[in-house]
Amino acid sequence: MSGEVPAGRRGRLVVLVGPSAVGKSSVVGKLRSEVPDLFFSVSATTRDPRPGEVDGRDYHFVGEQGFDRLVADGALLEWAEIHGGLQRSGTPAQPVYDALEAGRPVLVEVDLAGAASVKAALPEAVTVFLSPPSWEELERRLRGRGTESAAKIERRLETARAEMATRDDYDAVVVNDDLDRAVSDLVSLLVGAGEQRA
Ligand code: 5GP
C-alpha cells in the first residue's frame, strides 16, 4: 500500500476520536446528512453486531478469520485492539485513498492508537477529539446504555478515562454539549477554511 494520493486532489481527512457513548453516532449521522459528498470510513471489526447495527453500514463484521486475512493482505490503513483486546477494529485503506483522490472530505472514526497511526500514515489528517460536556455526563450515558454486562461497562469506563486524559493531544477538541454546534464545528473542519481550532 503506497498511500500516495496525487497532490492537489486531496479531500480533507478528519480523524474523529472520542469516548464510547460520547454521542459519536448522532454526530456522525447528522454530519453525513449535512455533507452529502462526505466519505465515512466503515471499519472492519471482529466483534458481533449490536442490536440495530447493519453489516456494511455500521461496520464490516468480518469475524476473527476475516480480520486476520485483511491484516495479512495489508488492506488496513490502521488497526487496533480495542477494550483491552476484546475486539480488533481497523480502517480499510483503499476506500479512504480513493475518496481522497476524488477530492471528497473523509471522516474516519477510530480509537486513540488508530488516530496516531492515521496521522503517521497521512500527516495532512486533522485529528479531532469529541468530548462530553463532563465526565459525570459520560459516565451516566455509559451506564445507561443497558446493552452490556457490568464487566464490559467497567472496561468501557476504563477506556474512556484513558481517552479523556489525552484530549489535548489532538489538532482540535469539539465539545458535544449541543449537537448542532458540534456538527457545525466538524463541518468547518471538513470543508471549511484553514487549520482552525474548535
Ligand atoms: P464500538 O465497539 O463501541 O463500536 O467501538 C469501540 C471503539 O473502537 C471506539 O473507540 C471506536 O472509535 C473504535 N474503533 C472503531 N473502528 C475502529 C477502527 O477502524 N480502528 C480503530 N483503531 N479503532 C476503531
PDB file of all heavy atoms in Angstrom, residues 11-14 31 35 38-39 104-107 183 185-192:
ATOM      1  N   GLY A  11      -8.955  15.418  -0.669  1.00  0.00           N
ATOM      2  CA  GLY A  11     -10.034  15.944   0.148  1.00  0.00           C
ATOM      3  C   GLY A  11      -9.480  16.130   1.536  1.00  0.00           C
ATOM      4  O   GLY A  11      -8.346  15.743   1.826  1.00  0.00           O
ATOM      5  N   ARG A  12     -10.236  16.736   2.411  1.00  0.00           N
ATOM      6  CA  ARG A  12      -9.758  16.907   3.774  1.00  0.00           C
ATOM      7  C   ARG A  12     -10.099  15.658   4.586  1.00  0.00           C
ATOM      8  O   ARG A  12     -11.214  15.167   4.525  1.00  0.00           O
ATOM      9  CB  ARG A  12     -10.393  18.139   4.391  1.00  0.00           C
ATOM     10  CG  ARG A  12      -9.860  18.454   5.777  1.00  0.00           C
ATOM     11  CD  ARG A  12     -10.480  19.713   6.288  1.00  0.00           C
ATOM     12  NE  ARG A  12     -10.054  20.859   5.506  1.00  0.00           N
ATOM     13  CZ  ARG A  12      -9.042  21.654   5.856  1.00  0.00           C
ATOM     14  NH1 ARG A  12      -8.377  21.419   6.952  1.00  0.00           N
ATOM     15  NH2 ARG A  12      -8.718  22.678   5.118  1.00  0.00           N
ATOM     16  N   LEU A  13      -9.117  15.190   5.319  1.00  0.00           N
ATOM     17  CA  LEU A  13      -9.290  13.969   6.112  1.00  0.00           C
ATOM     18  C   LEU A  13      -9.390  14.329   7.587  1.00  0.00           C
ATOM     19  O   LEU A  13      -8.455  14.898   8.158  1.00  0.00           O
ATOM     20  CB  LEU A  13      -8.091  13.053   5.874  1.00  0.00           C
ATOM     21  CG  LEU A  13      -7.976  11.805   6.744  1.00  0.00           C
ATOM     22  CD1 LEU A  13      -9.171  10.881   6.554  1.00  0.00           C
ATOM     23  CD2 LEU A  13      -6.687  11.053   6.402  1.00  0.00           C
ATOM     24  N   VAL A  14     -10.530  14.040   8.188  1.00  0.00           N
ATOM     25  CA  VAL A  14     -10.717  14.278   9.619  1.00  0.00           C
ATOM     26  C   VAL A  14     -10.790  12.930  10.330  1.00  0.00           C
ATOM     27  O   VAL A  14     -11.519  12.033   9.908  1.00  0.00           O
ATOM     28  CB  VAL A  14     -11.984  15.117   9.904  1.00  0.00           C
ATOM     29  CG1 VAL A  14     -12.347  15.088  11.388  1.00  0.00           C
ATOM     30  CG2 VAL A  14     -11.782  16.564   9.451  1.00  0.00           C
ATOM     31  N   LEU A  31     -23.764  14.752  10.524  1.00  0.00           N
ATOM     32  CA  LEU A  31     -22.700  15.201   9.607  1.00  0.00           C
ATOM     33  C   LEU A  31     -22.926  14.638   8.213  1.00  0.00           C
ATOM     34  O   LEU A  31     -22.763  15.336   7.208  1.00  0.00           O
ATOM     35  CB  LEU A  31     -21.358  14.668  10.086  1.00  0.00           C
ATOM     36  CG  LEU A  31     -20.326  15.605  10.663  1.00  0.00           C
ATOM     37  CD1 LEU A  31     -19.040  14.832  10.890  1.00  0.00           C
ATOM     38  CD2 LEU A  31     -20.085  16.811   9.779  1.00  0.00           C
ATOM     39  N   VAL A  35     -23.209  16.970   4.922  1.00  0.00           N
ATOM     40  CA  VAL A  35     -22.105  16.999   3.937  1.00  0.00           C
ATOM     41  C   VAL A  35     -22.334  15.808   3.010  1.00  0.00           C
ATOM     42  O   VAL A  35     -21.805  14.724   3.219  1.00  0.00           O
ATOM     43  CB  VAL A  35     -20.732  16.895   4.638  1.00  0.00           C
ATOM     44  CG1 VAL A  35     -19.585  17.014   3.626  1.00  0.00           C
ATOM     45  CG2 VAL A  35     -20.594  17.936   5.736  1.00  0.00           C
ATOM     46  N   LEU A  38     -19.601  13.575   1.767  1.00  0.00           N
ATOM     47  CA  LEU A  38     -18.693  13.050   2.786  1.00  0.00           C
ATOM     48  C   LEU A  38     -18.496  11.548   2.602  1.00  0.00           C
ATOM     49  O   LEU A  38     -19.461  10.802   2.438  1.00  0.00           O
ATOM     50  CB  LEU A  38     -19.291  13.301   4.176  1.00  0.00           C
ATOM     51  CG  LEU A  38     -18.489  12.776   5.374  1.00  0.00           C
ATOM     52  CD1 LEU A  38     -17.205  13.573   5.543  1.00  0.00           C
ATOM     53  CD2 LEU A  38     -19.317  12.865   6.652  1.00  0.00           C
ATOM     54  N   PHE A  39     -17.234  11.110   2.638  1.00  0.00           N
ATOM     55  CA  PHE A  39     -16.982   9.674   2.670  1.00  0.00           C
ATOM     56  C   PHE A  39     -16.725   9.283   4.114  1.00  0.00           C
ATOM     57  O   PHE A  39     -15.771   9.750   4.739  1.00  0.00           O
ATOM     58  CB  PHE A  39     -15.785   9.283   1.795  1.00  0.00           C
ATOM     59  CG  PHE A  39     -15.489   7.813   1.913  1.00  0.00           C
ATOM     60  CD1 PHE A  39     -16.297   6.883   1.280  1.00  0.00           C
ATOM     61  CD2 PHE A  39     -14.442   7.366   2.705  1.00  0.00           C
ATOM     62  CE1 PHE A  39     -16.064   5.522   1.426  1.00  0.00           C
ATOM     63  CE2 PHE A  39     -14.200   6.004   2.857  1.00  0.00           C
ATOM     64  CZ  PHE A  39     -15.008   5.084   2.211  1.00  0.00           C
ATOM     65  N   ARG A 104     -13.011  14.108  -2.133  1.00  0.00           N
ATOM     66  CA  ARG A 104     -14.120  14.136  -1.180  1.00  0.00           C
ATOM     67  C   ARG A 104     -13.601  14.337   0.244  1.00  0.00           C
ATOM     68  O   ARG A 104     -12.521  13.836   0.580  1.00  0.00           O
ATOM     69  CB  ARG A 104     -14.885  12.804  -1.237  1.00  0.00           C
ATOM     70  CG  ARG A 104     -15.607  12.591  -2.551  1.00  0.00           C
ATOM     71  CD  ARG A 104     -16.185  11.195  -2.613  1.00  0.00           C
ATOM     72  NE  ARG A 104     -17.257  10.980  -1.628  1.00  0.00           N
ATOM     73  CZ  ARG A 104     -17.873   9.805  -1.465  1.00  0.00           C
ATOM     74  NH1 ARG A 104     -17.509   8.761  -2.185  1.00  0.00           N
ATOM     75  NH2 ARG A 104     -18.831   9.687  -0.581  1.00  0.00           N
ATOM     76  N   PRO A 105     -14.356  15.056   1.098  1.00  0.00           N
ATOM     77  CA  PRO A 105     -13.995  15.083   2.516  1.00  0.00           C
ATOM     78  C   PRO A 105     -14.178  13.683   3.103  1.00  0.00           C
ATOM     79  O   PRO A 105     -15.129  12.982   2.734  1.00  0.00           O
ATOM     80  CB  PRO A 105     -14.975  16.075   3.141  1.00  0.00           C
ATOM     81  CG  PRO A 105     -16.061  16.285   2.147  1.00  0.00           C
ATOM     82  CD  PRO A 105     -15.581  15.825   0.804  1.00  0.00           C
ATOM     83  N   VAL A 106     -13.266  13.295   3.970  1.00  0.00           N
ATOM     84  CA  VAL A 106     -13.267  11.936   4.506  1.00  0.00           C
ATOM     85  C   VAL A 106     -13.299  11.981   6.030  1.00  0.00           C
ATOM     86  O   VAL A 106     -12.540  12.730   6.653  1.00  0.00           O
ATOM     87  CB  VAL A 106     -12.006  11.163   4.044  1.00  0.00           C
ATOM     88  CG1 VAL A 106     -11.931   9.786   4.705  1.00  0.00           C
ATOM     89  CG2 VAL A 106     -11.994  11.021   2.524  1.00  0.00           C
ATOM     90  N   LEU A 107     -14.168  11.175   6.609  1.00  0.00           N
ATOM     91  CA  LEU A 107     -14.240  11.074   8.063  1.00  0.00           C
ATOM     92  C   LEU A 107     -13.903   9.645   8.477  1.00  0.00           C
ATOM     93  O   LEU A 107     -14.514   8.684   7.994  1.00  0.00           O
ATOM     94  CB  LEU A 107     -15.655  11.424   8.551  1.00  0.00           C
ATOM     95  CG  LEU A 107     -15.817  11.478  10.056  1.00  0.00           C
ATOM     96  CD1 LEU A 107     -15.059  12.668  10.640  1.00  0.00           C
ATOM     97  CD2 LEU A 107     -17.282  11.571  10.445  1.00  0.00           C
ATOM     98  N   VAL A 183     -21.743  19.570  15.298  1.00  0.00           N
ATOM     99  CA  VAL A 183     -21.727  19.192  13.877  1.00  0.00           C
ATOM    100  C   VAL A 183     -21.209  20.344  13.040  1.00  0.00           C
ATOM    101  O   VAL A 183     -20.387  20.148  12.132  1.00  0.00           O
ATOM    102  CB  VAL A 183     -23.140  18.749  13.421  1.00  0.00           C
ATOM    103  CG1 VAL A 183     -23.219  18.633  11.906  1.00  0.00           C
ATOM    104  CG2 VAL A 183     -23.492  17.417  14.070  1.00  0.00           C
ATOM    105  N   ASP A 185     -19.122  22.659  13.903  1.00  0.00           N
ATOM    106  CA  ASP A 185     -17.660  22.726  14.096  1.00  0.00           C
ATOM    107  C   ASP A 185     -16.959  21.706  13.193  1.00  0.00           C
ATOM    108  O   ASP A 185     -15.934  21.995  12.569  1.00  0.00           O
ATOM    109  CB  ASP A 185     -17.273  22.402  15.551  1.00  0.00           C
ATOM    110  CG  ASP A 185     -17.585  23.552  16.508  1.00  0.00           C
ATOM    111  OD1 ASP A 185     -17.960  24.641  16.032  1.00  0.00           O
ATOM    112  OD2 ASP A 185     -17.445  23.346  17.727  1.00  0.00           O
ATOM    113  N   LEU A 186     -17.530  20.517  13.138  1.00  0.00           N
ATOM    114  CA  LEU A 186     -16.905  19.465  12.316  1.00  0.00           C
ATOM    115  C   LEU A 186     -17.028  19.759  10.826  1.00  0.00           C
ATOM    116  O   LEU A 186     -16.111  19.475  10.058  1.00  0.00           O
ATOM    117  CB  LEU A 186     -17.511  18.099  12.666  1.00  0.00           C
ATOM    118  CG  LEU A 186     -16.952  17.514  13.962  1.00  0.00           C
ATOM    119  CD1 LEU A 186     -17.854  16.425  14.511  1.00  0.00           C
ATOM    120  CD2 LEU A 186     -15.539  16.964  13.745  1.00  0.00           C
ATOM    121  N   VAL A 187     -18.167  20.333  10.429  1.00  0.00           N
ATOM    122  CA  VAL A 187     -18.325  20.709   9.019  1.00  0.00           C
ATOM    123  C   VAL A 187     -17.223  21.704   8.649  1.00  0.00           C
ATOM    124  O   VAL A 187     -16.596  21.583   7.587  1.00  0.00           O
ATOM    125  CB  VAL A 187     -19.728  21.306   8.738  1.00  0.00           C
ATOM    126  CG1 VAL A 187     -19.791  21.903   7.333  1.00  0.00           C
ATOM    127  CG2 VAL A 187     -20.805  20.235   8.906  1.00  0.00           C
ATOM    128  N   SER A 188     -16.943  22.675   9.530  1.00  0.00           N
ATOM    129  CA  SER A 188     -15.881  23.655   9.241  1.00  0.00           C
ATOM    130  C   SER A 188     -14.544  22.959   9.084  1.00  0.00           C
ATOM    131  O   SER A 188     -13.753  23.316   8.208  1.00  0.00           O
ATOM    132  CB  SER A 188     -15.736  24.676  10.369  1.00  0.00           C
ATOM    133  OG  SER A 188     -16.948  25.251  10.656  1.00  0.00           O
ATOM    134  N   LEU A 189     -14.289  21.976   9.942  1.00  0.00           N
ATOM    135  CA  LEU A 189     -13.005  21.274   9.861  1.00  0.00           C
ATOM    136  C   LEU A 189     -12.909  20.444   8.583  1.00  0.00           C
ATOM    137  O   LEU A 189     -11.843  20.318   7.992  1.00  0.00           O
ATOM    138  CB  LEU A 189     -12.813  20.379  11.087  1.00  0.00           C
ATOM    139  CG  LEU A 189     -12.546  21.140  12.385  1.00  0.00           C
ATOM    140  CD1 LEU A 189     -12.745  20.236  13.593  1.00  0.00           C
ATOM    141  CD2 LEU A 189     -11.141  21.728  12.384  1.00  0.00           C
ATOM    142  N   LEU A 190     -14.040  19.901   8.145  1.00  0.00           N
ATOM    143  CA  LEU A 190     -14.035  19.033   6.957  1.00  0.00           C
ATOM    144  C   LEU A 190     -14.006  19.807   5.647  1.00  0.00           C
ATOM    145  O   LEU A 190     -13.330  19.409   4.702  1.00  0.00           O
ATOM    146  CB  LEU A 190     -15.278  18.133   6.956  1.00  0.00           C
ATOM    147  CG  LEU A 190     -15.191  16.881   7.803  1.00  0.00           C
ATOM    148  CD1 LEU A 190     -16.584  16.348   8.113  1.00  0.00           C
ATOM    149  CD2 LEU A 190     -14.375  15.804   7.090  1.00  0.00           C
ATOM    150  N   VAL A 191     -14.760  20.887   5.596  1.00  0.00           N
ATOM    151  CA  VAL A 191     -14.872  21.585   4.305  1.00  0.00           C
ATOM    152  C   VAL A 191     -14.570  23.073   4.415  1.00  0.00           C
ATOM    153  O   VAL A 191     -14.536  23.766   3.409  1.00  0.00           O
ATOM    154  CB  VAL A 191     -16.280  21.393   3.681  1.00  0.00           C
ATOM    155  CG1 VAL A 191     -16.548  19.942   3.384  1.00  0.00           C
ATOM    156  CG2 VAL A 191     -17.359  21.951   4.575  1.00  0.00           C
ATOM    157  N   GLY A 192     -14.346  23.546   5.658  1.00  0.00           N
ATOM    158  CA  GLY A 192     -14.158  24.978   5.859  1.00  0.00           C
ATOM    159  C   GLY A 192     -12.724  25.408   5.648  1.00  0.00           C
ATOM    160  O   GLY A 192     -11.886  24.625   5.208  1.00  0.00           O
TER     161      GLY A 192
END
